[in-house]
Amino acid sequence: MRKHVLLYGLLAGALIAALRLIEYRWLVLEHSVEIYGGLVAAVFASLGIWLGLKLTRHTETVVVREVEVPAPVSFVRDQSKVDSLGITPRELEVLELIAAGLSNKEIAERVYVSENTVKTHSSRVFDKLGARRRTQAVQLGKELRLIP
Amino acid sequence: MRKHVLLYGLLAGALIAALRLIEYRWLVLEHSVEIYGGLVAAVFASLGIWLGLKLTRHTETVVVREVEVPAPVSFVRDQSKVDSLGITPRELEVLELIAAGLSNKEIAERVYVSENTVKTHSSRVFDKLGARRRTQAVQLGKELRLIP
DNA sequence: CCCAAAATCATCCGTTCGGATGACGCGCGT
DNA sequence: ACGCGCGTCATCCGAACGGATGATTTTGGG
């Protein structure tokens, strides 16, 4: 910005000097002062426009348009409900895998325990949730924000 | 923008006319042509700066800021997937009730059909979804946006 | 009216699930 | 050392589920 003003000043000075140098020649050549004035006007108008552009190039009006977005809704487990229901980590893990659509056998293989153990965990978590079926347990688990 | 250019042109014309009018008086008053030129330069430079400012004053930068909203994300069924999978309305209804945690028997009572019919619908929708268990069907159904 | 799709109901059979119950080991805090 | 919570594994049994298949009725569009 300041650089531009300085440059403009220098250019203006140089131009004025140049104009004064050729001024007499124009006069000698019997050209009217009008042409001289027009030339000066054109040159300085151009310079002015250029300077104006330079001065304001970075003064943009920033328009912030806020757009509502569906939001990824990051899941946060309701630990208080987990605690109040007395659901253990293992039970919660099994519940998550049930929600993922795995069978007891698949869950057993996934977590390296016997299918019987998975059944025990699931039965306990069903009991704590008051669910009679795994689909119901999943539904309740999601409702209570125990699982995503 | 165009309005400004036009206005500038008119002003310039008027100024030139005005200058020409007073030009002779200045000459009569024995003032040098340098002063006249300086005046013209100053006026047109100002005009140019003003025009430059007008030309660029309204360059707006639109910044789109995405605002995450807890958004209840109103569920919209992906009908295209429903169609491409060839899932019928009744099958979809049964799938929803399965996702709600109901047993086949409860679903049968809810929609006033026999449990066998519910089993048929569920079997078909499992087949179309490539699911082997109802929990898996629910998971896939939610993933594919067939059910909320 | 006729056809195709959808909906309904059924039977058989094997698998999975859920409930009830008992038992064992491990870590932790009193 | 003892009790307790947790995780683990097991057995038995009935209920629920899923697959395969066949049949009938209803419905919507050409």
Side-chain angles (χ1 to χ4, degrees):
Chain A
M1 171 71 80
R2 182 165 301 183
K3 183 180 62 180
H4 287 138
V5 174
L6 186 61
L7 185 57
Y8 178 71
L10 289 176
L11 276 176
L15 277 171
I16 288 176
L19 285 170
R20 287 189 60 177
L21 276 180
I22 63 174
E23 172 187 337
Y24 294 105
R25 188 189 297 178
W26 281 85
L27 288 178
V28 166
L29 291 177
E30 304 285 342
H31 281 101
S32 79
V33 73
E34 296 164 11
I35 293 179
Y36 170 67
L39 186 62
V40 171
V43 169
F44 277 84
S46 299
L47 276 172
I49 290 176
W50 170 79
L51 185 63
L53 289 173
K54 283 295 178 189
L55 283 176
T56 59
R57 176 158 298 174
H58 297 298
T59 62
E60 308 171 323
T61 305
V62 176
V63 175
V64 176
R65 187 187 311 161
E66 297 191 345
V67 175
E68 290 193 354
V69 126
V73 181
S74 57
F75 168 73
V76 183
R77 168 163 295 131
D78 189 343
Q79 194 59 43
S80 65
K81 286 209 185 68
V82 174
D83 295 340
S84 65
L85 290 172
I87 297 177
T88 70
R90 206 54 159 169
E91 289 164 358
L92 209 48
E93 187 181 6
V94 168
L95 180 58
E96 281 180 7
L97 294 174
I98 287 177
L102 276 63
S103 70
N104 287 340
K105 187 169 202 164
E106 289 168 340
I107 296 173
E109 290 166 356
R110 178 80 69 95
V111 298
Y112 307 111
V113 296
S114 81
E115 189 180 343
N116 287 316
T117 303
V118 175
K119 286 187 61 179
T120 302
H121 288 315
S122 61
S123 282
R124 292 216 174 108
V125 82
F126 292 168
D127 189 48
K128 289 169 182 175
L129 285 175
R132 307 186 135 275
R133 288 165 289 284
R134 40 179 55 212
T135 48
Q136 195 181 3
V138 169
Q139 155 73 5
L140 290 171
K142 286 179 182 291
E143 244 179 45
L144 298 174
R145 303 200 166 282
L146 307 179
I147 54 178
Chain B
M1 173 69 82
R2 183 165 301 181
K3 184 179 63 181
H4 287 137
V5 174
L6 184 61
L7 185 58
Y8 178 71
L10 289 175
L11 277 176
L15 277 171
I16 288 176
L19 285 171
R20 287 190 61 179
L21 278 178
I22 63 173
E23 172 187 339
Y24 296 104
R25 188 189 297 181
W26 282 84
L27 287 179
V28 166
L29 292 177
E30 305 284 341
H31 281 102
S32 80
V33 72
E34 296 164 11
I35 294 180
Y36 169 68
L39 186 62
V40 171
V43 169
F44 277 86
S46 300
L47 235 52
I49 289 175
W50 170 79
L51 183 64
L53 288 173
K54 280 297 177 187
L55 285 176
T56 61
R57 178 158 297 171
H58 295 299
T59 57
E60 300 180 340
T61 300
V62 176
V63 176
V64 176
R65 184 193 305 165
E66 293 190 347
V67 175
E68 290 191 353
V69 166
V73 185
S74 57
F75 168 71
V76 183
R77 170 162 295 133
D78 189 341
Q79 193 59 42
S80 65
K81 285 208 187 68
V82 174
D83 295 339
S84 65
L85 291 173
I87 297 176
T88 70
R90 203 57 156 170
E91 288 164 357
L92 209 48
E93 187 181 5
V94 168
L95 180 59
E96 280 180 8
L97 294 174
I98 287 176
L102 276 62
S103 70
N104 286 341
K105 188 169 201 166
E106 289 168 341
I107 296 173
E109 291 166 356
R110 178 80 70 93
V111 298
Y112 306 113
V113 296
S114 81
E115 190 181 343
N116 287 315
T117 303
V118 175
K119 286 186 61 179
T120 302
H121 287 316
S122 61
S123 283
R124 286 200 214 282
V125 82
F126 292 170
D127 189 48
K128 288 170 182 174
L129 285 175
R132 309 189 127 274
R133 287 165 290 285
R134 40 178 56 215
T135 47
Q136 194 180 5
V138 169
Q139 155 73 4
L140 290 171
K142 286 179 182 292
E143 244 180 43
L144 299 175
R145 302 204 166 282
L146 307 179
I147 54 178

